[in-house]
Amino acid sequence: MPTKTIAILTSGGDAPGMNAAIRAIVRSAITKGITPLGIKHGYSGLLNYDIWEMTIRTVSDIIERGGTILYTARTPKFFNEDDIQKAAENCRKSKIDGIIIIGGDGSIRGADCLAQHGIKCVCLPGTIDNDIACSERSIGFDTAINTATSMIDKIRDTAQSHERCSVVEVMGRKSGNIAVKTGIAVGATAILIPEYKFNFEKDILERINFTQKMGKKHFIIIVAEGLNIVDEIMEKITKTTGIDSRATILGHVQRGGSPTAFDRVMASEMGCYAVELLSHGISNKVVAVKNNKLFAIGISDALKAKKSFDFRLYERALEISI
Ligand code: ADP
């Protein structure tokens, strides 16, 4: 049966570049003679029938905007079997031949539930955390590390003037990916991540003392959100070194803002690829990136994939921050 209608939803935490993906899906679908439908507020919209037809012009002027025009939601109800059945039933009633879900790990799990009820799903990795095991990159990560970098550059100016230590928490939930990339980009003296069990003396004090001996007068310490210790570390540094320290939590600025060209291009390519898969009758896949190339992996394999962490990059960061 040819694919006549494709629906799109964004779910979980928003990420800059989701709009670029939505735009690509809508336009690529229309070009192929497929009707695109937008589902608002993630899986909630599927339960509440918040579904509308999208046109070429409903996605005008959104490629440069952060957030998602379809809104996003965390829908605890979706864990319930009755609701999954209802969502699948609503898909059938709306004559949806396939759904493209843009979101993180949780959203992919939701798609897996729908797929098990016969709904054809394709997922795009959309999260600033870059913590989706099957893909080297997720939509929004590049923008988030650029935002964090430019914010910490500003913090550095004042840390430098006052010869202070700035301890900065960056996002990433249980993943240290944002912390490591941002840490390198801002020349952090130490980077604390959930993937590595740090020792305060060795990984912070010794590094501050060593770089101080080399003439360094101000310090940036990056702490990943998942550790939840930014204030504690700031207080310990002040107490043990006497260096005036400040703690900053960057927070949601990292989730918003205009997507970088990298995220816009990748999201656009992923959107077109997802439509191509569904139009060829291929479904229940996650679109992922390996060596800068897109590929499709089965949802259940994607969920089974083991998360790896680039410790080489972490070592490099420490090697040059002296
Ligand atoms: P993310 O997609 O960014 O990881 P969440 O973990 O909040 O964000 O998941 C987004 C939504 O996906 C949830 O609100 C829920 O509707 C659905 N979801 C998450 N985990 C599951 C699961 N194990 N089974 C079914 N649905 C899930």
Side-chain angles (χ1 to χ4, degrees):
M1 242 192 12
T3 303
K4 290 193 187 138
T5 305
I6 287 178
I8 316 156
L9 66 81
T10 48
S11 164
D14 65 341
M18 281 182 163
N19 279 329
I22 295 167
R23 171 180 176 272
I25 294 164
V26 167
R27 293 191 173 169
S28 166
I30 291 171
T31 304
K32 289 181 162 54
I34 298 168
T35 304
L37 302 178
I39 300 172
K40 284 191 181 163
H41 304 108
Y43 291 116
S44 308
L46 203 49
L47 293 170
N48 307 330
Y49 228 89
D50 201 354
I51 305 171
W52 50 292
E53 187 172 333
M54 300 182 82
T55 68
I56 289 175
R57 293 277 79 81
T58 50
V59 292
S60 293
D61 299 321
I62 65 165
I63 195 163
E64 76 287 10
R65 278 168 55 193
T68 156
I69 60 160
L70 291 176
Y71 304 93
T72 183
R74 293 205 155 96
T75 319
K77 268 173 111 183
F78 208 62
F79 289 102
N80 171 323
E81 178 62 29
D82 287 349
D83 283 324
I84 298 167
Q85 266 187 29
K86 185 177 169 197
E89 197 47 44
N90 283 348
C91 285
R92 283 186 264 272
K93 276 194 211 149
S94 315
K95 303 208 179 329
I96 292 170
D97 297 315
I99 301 196
I100 300 173
I101 294 120
I102 313 168
D105 259 339
S107 305
I108 298 172
R109 281 181 206 286
D112 192 33
C113 296
L114 279 179
Q116 283 170 27
H117 285 74
I119 305 302
K120 291 180 179 160
C121 301
V122 172
C123 303
L124 302 189
T127 163
I128 64 163
D129 303 334
N130 206 30
D131 60 351
I132 297 178
C134 66
S135 185
E136 284 172 1
R137 281 279 177 165
S138 59
I139 296 168
F141 176 62
D142 188 65
T143 307
I145 57 176
N146 275 285
T147 302
T149 300
S150 79
M151 293 293 141
I152 298 169
D153 284 347
K154 295 182 209 312
I155 292 173
R156 172 193 281 276
D157 288 344
T158 159
Q160 185 265 324
S161 319
H162 288 268
E163 300 185 335
R164 273 182 188 145
C165 174
S166 263
V167 186
V168 186
E169 182 189 286
V170 297
M171 277 187 153
R173 294 200 285 189
K174 289 181 184 144
S175 157
N177 285 322
I178 293 182
V180 171
K181 287 261 167 124
T182 306
I184 292 191
V186 301
T189 300
I191 305 169
L192 309 182
I193 51 171
E195 292 85 350
Y196 172 75
K197 196 167 166 27
F198 74 94
N199 172 289
F200 184 78
E201 294 280 326
K202 177 176 151 286
D203 297 306
I204 302 176
L205 265 193
E206 279 181 22
R207 291 193 62 80
I208 290 179
N209 290 337
F210 176 72
T211 53
Q212 215 172 17
K213 279 194 197 115
M214 311 285 280
K216 205 173 176 72
K217 292 201 164 59
H218 61 279
F219 310 87
I220 307 276
I221 311 292
I222 302 290
V223 182
E225 170 187 41
L227 294 170
N228 197 19
I229 48 167
V230 68
D231 288 318
E232 188 191 316
I233 295 294
M234 181 273 289
E235 278 160 23
K236 254 176 129 172
I237 290 173
T238 308
K239 219 168 167 181
T240 50
T241 64
I243 300 168
D244 190 17
S245 305
R246 293 286 185 278
T248 308
I249 296 176
L250 289 188
H252 281 92
V253 289
Q254 297 158 96
R255 287 248 295 261
S258 181
T260 57
F262 182 95
D263 271 330
R264 295 181 200 191
V265 173
M266 187 178 72
S268 300
E269 273 196 288
M270 284 182 165
C272 293
Y273 188 56
V275 173
E276 208 169 272
L277 289 173
L278 286 171
S279 70
H280 286 117
I282 303 166
S283 63
N284 305 341
K285 302 281 183 193
V286 177
V287 174
V289 185
K290 191 170 186 183
N291 299 328
N292 289 325
K293 278 211 154 63
L294 297 188
F295 70 102
I297 172 172
I299 290 181
S300 52
D301 288 335
L303 290 173
K304 272 187 245 150
K306 286 245 176 307
K307 285 182 185 142
S308 63
F309 187 76
D310 192 352
F311 279 103
R312 185 200 54 89
L313 199 62
Y314 182 70
E315 297 293 331
R316 287 276 189 244
L318 302 183
E319 189 182 323
I320 53 178
S321 293
I322 50 175

